[in-house]
Amino acid sequence: MRVDEHSWDGGEWASPRVDLARFQPRPRPAELVARYGVEPDETVVGFFGPMSLETGALAFVEMAHQMTELRKIRCIMAGDGPQLRLVTAAVASLSKRIRIEYLGALNDADR
């Protein structure tokens, strides 16, 4: 079993939750680059889903903190859920050089 085909999930191997064949890096859409002011040397990482323990929302914030040591990144989070207050407090406590933008809860028209 290859690690890139499966992930560890609390003691059992689980299939990936993201279709890696469908979601691959692509050229940046010009409209989104302009809307969010993405710089050419920035790596954009997104979290879109429920702010909960199960989805790893707080782990995403910690990842963002660690990644800024490696490269220039911008993180974008969208969603709502039971850990929203914890997540926004964790984001607020980070250094200003760590860019995490919270878009709020999105509906289908916002995507």
Side-chain angles (χ1 to χ4, degrees):
M1 179 178 326
R2 292 181 9 204
V3 174
D4 61 337
E5 292 176 353
H6 295 83
S7 62
W8 186 255
D9 187 16
E12 296 182 21
W13 286 100
S15 298
R17 291 178 176 87
V18 175
D19 181 351
L20 299 178
R22 181 175 172 207
F23 295 101
Q24 293 289 319
R26 291 179 251 157
R28 297 174 182 204
E31 187 267 329
L32 293 177
V33 167
R35 181 190 308 175
Y36 296 107
V38 177
E39 298 175 20
D41 61 339
E42 282 184 308
T43 299
V44 180
V45 181
F47 177 96
F48 304 92
M51 302 290 173
S52 67
L53 181 64
E54 296 81 10
T55 62
L58 284 172
F60 181 85
V61 174
E62 177 59 27
M63 176 277 313
H65 175 69
Q66 293 177 17
M67 286 289 294
T68 57
E69 302 298 321
L70 303 174
R71 62 177 53 199
K72 187 174 182 180
I73 68 165
R74 176 188 299 205
C75 296
I76 298 174
M77 297 186 81
D80 198 355
Q83 286 195 325
L84 179 59
R85 287 185 186 188
L86 289 172
V87 169
T88 54
V91 169
S93 72
L94 296 174
S95 164
K96 295 297 180 201
R97 67 184 183 85
I98 301 169
R99 297 181 70 178
I100 300 181
E101 298 172 41
Y102 176 64
L103 304 180
L106 301 178
N107 61 41
D108 287 339
D110 296 328
R111 297 175 192 192

